[in-house]
Amino acid sequence: MELQAHYSVKANGKEVAAQLRDRIAEVRVTLRTGLLSDTCYVKFDNLGNLPITAPQGAEDLEIGMGYKQGTDDNSAPIVEMGKYSVGEYQLIGPVRALELHGNKVLWDQELKTLKFKSWPNSDDAPLMLTDVISEIAGQYGLSPCIADSYQQIQLPQIEQSESDMQLLSKLAEQYDAFMKIVNDKLIFMNKGTGRSLSGQPLPEVVLGPKWLTSWVLNAQHYKSVGEVKAKFYDFDIAELKVVNAGSASPSHILPYVFADEASAQVAAQSKLAQFKRSHKSVQLHTFGKPDIVAGGVVEIEDVADEINGRWYVNEVEHVINGQGYYSYVNCEALAE
């Protein structure tokens, strides 16, 4: 690869990479799906006679990565990797180094605070999934962005004894949703579809033999599930009923009792889709591709029949160091 890796590091809005480029040993960014925080790591050669001042309290880092492509540093194209709050640093010796660890600035601390709240449900005022997401988003100044497929889901009464973040995470897991806080928006959308919130196909990053340095395919047959059953209570006849998604074996039964048949059916279909995606996964080691993002899609071409095709990106780590620029990508099968 005749490309020269390039990066940008801004501390509290000021570019420092140009001034300290010969002192920066490694820049790493990890992008994840869900409410797990994206993270960054920057390692400096902290020479004793020219020490770099350690952070005083929380400071912000903005990271960008790309390739020079024959241009100078000031005009080289950069893909922004996000803004991070440095909450931890380490000084290392005797070969002195300074390591900064940052987390994505995503949410208010109150979102992670234990809360007790009753979310009632009744025939006159049914509790909708969109109501819960919208109310929690509004409490933290976020705009809810919810996919159409979740608009009509009714929930049973919820007695909350956990943080709002835990409640949202549980609902996202239950309905197989991709949930993320991005640019003051709380996004709740179908996971693993390769489509945006509006339903449009996401841009795909193509990877061929010239880009991939290694790959591992995991096929976990013990996770294979052919049918998911969900229970709901039919109040008209005072009877517990069961719906199913899929018709093959083995079968998995959800432990919840849902408010109505429609909600139970959606939950069963969501769980079956989750099982189908997690049945196969692939880990990729590739020359750096800054346009690979968590929640996006990569298409593998002309590598091996077992992994050729489109894959959903669960997590990607971009690393620039003395070895060059590499991306480590964890993928699972796209939802059908």
Side-chain angles (χ1 to χ4, degrees):
M1 292 286 171
E2 296 181 0
L3 294 172
Q4 185 176 357
H6 180 61
Y7 57 86
S8 167
V9 178
K10 294 180 181 178
N12 297 322
K14 296 181 179 180
E15 181 65 60
V16 298
Q19 180 182 358
L20 299 174
R21 194 169 301 279
D22 60 342
R23 306 280 299 279
I24 297 177
E26 181 170 313
V27 179
R28 183 193 315 154
V29 170
T30 303
L31 308 176
R32 302 180 173 96
T33 56
L35 283 179
L36 285 174
S37 178
D38 298 342
T39 61
C40 77
Y41 165 87
V42 182
K43 181 178 181 179
F44 296 90
D45 175 6
N46 199 34
L47 299 174
N49 58 338
L50 291 171
I52 297 172
T53 303
Q56 304 299 314
E59 297 187 9
D60 292 337
L61 286 182
E62 297 174 62
I63 309 291
M65 293 182 176
Y67 290 100
K68 284 191 176 182
Q69 300 176 341
T71 60
D72 58 35
D73 288 355
N74 292 331
S75 59
I78 285 288
V79 176
E80 298 298 335
M81 298 288 174
K83 185 176 182 179
Y84 303 84
S85 178
V86 178
E88 176 185 354
Y89 73 87
Q90 295 172 326
L91 286 172
I92 300 173
V95 179
R96 294 177 62 89
L98 170 64
E99 297 181 342
L100 306 182
H101 300 264
N103 288 277
K104 196 73 172 285
V105 183
L106 285 180
W107 50 69
D108 190 288
Q109 288 294 324
E110 290 295 319
L111 186 58
K112 297 179 282 186
T113 301
L114 177 65
K115 181 181 291 186
F116 296 93
K117 177 180 172 64
S118 179
W119 299 83
N121 174 63
S122 66
D123 292 338
D124 295 332
L127 178 63
M128 308 301 291
L129 176 62
T130 52
D131 295 336
V132 176
I133 298 171
S134 298
E135 182 172 330
I136 292 176
Q139 291 175 13
Y140 304 100
L142 303 171
S143 299
C145 298
I146 307 169
D148 291 342
S149 56
Y150 297 114
Q151 295 292 330
Q152 302 302 319
I153 294 178
Q154 183 178 344
L155 301 175
Q157 180 164 322
I158 298 174
E159 296 299 330
Q160 181 180 350
S161 57
E162 56 198 343
S163 70
D164 287 336
M165 185 177 76
Q166 289 172 317
L167 176 58
L168 289 173
S169 298
K170 185 167 66 177
L171 291 171
E173 172 71 17
Q174 182 174 332
Y175 291 103
D176 194 33
F178 169 91
M179 183 174 58
K180 197 80 172 177
I181 298 175
V182 180
N183 298 328
D184 295 327
K185 294 182 175 63
L186 175 56
I187 298 173
F188 198 96
M189 59 180 286
N190 302 84
K191 188 176 183 181
T193 62
R195 295 183 177 274
S196 67
L197 189 65
S198 64
Q200 298 300 312
L202 292 170
E204 298 178 5
V205 179
V206 178
L207 298 174
K210 292 183 178 180
W211 281 95
L212 284 175
T213 59
S214 66
W215 54 269
V216 176
L217 173 70
N218 294 306
Q220 301 174 339
H221 293 292
Y222 67 88
K223 284 188 175 181
S224 178
V225 171
E227 179 186 43
V228 174
K229 296 181 179 180
K231 296 171 286 187
F232 73 97
Y233 194 79
D234 190 331
F235 287 93
D236 292 335
I237 60 175
E239 183 178 317
L240 194 66
K241 289 189 172 183
V242 177
V243 297
N244 68 289
S247 57
S249 60
S251 180
H252 175 83
I253 301 176
L254 296 178
Y256 322 105
V257 176
F258 292 89
D260 54 41
E261 182 177 2
S263 299
Q265 190 67 58
V266 169
Q269 291 171 342
S270 297
K271 193 64 177 180
L272 182 61
Q274 182 181 353
F275 278 127
K276 286 184 175 181
R277 285 200 321 276
S278 61
H279 173 52
K280 281 189 177 182
S281 62
V282 64
Q283 285 76 49
L284 308 173
H285 182 207
T286 176
F287 292 109
K289 279 278 195 178
D291 44 354
I292 298 178
V293 297
V297 176
V298 296
E299 182 170 6
I300 302 174
E301 292 184 345
D302 304 322
V303 176
D305 291 342
E306 293 84 355
I307 68 167
N308 285 341
R310 300 166 69 240
W311 294 84
Y312 175 75
V313 179
N314 260 333
E315 180 177 315
V316 57
E317 183 176 65
H318 297 285
V319 181
I320 296 178
N321 55 27
Q323 305 299 314
Y325 178 14
Y326 293 94
S327 298
Y328 302 85
V329 192
N330 292 326
C331 303
E332 61 183 25
L334 273 172
E336 297 178 358

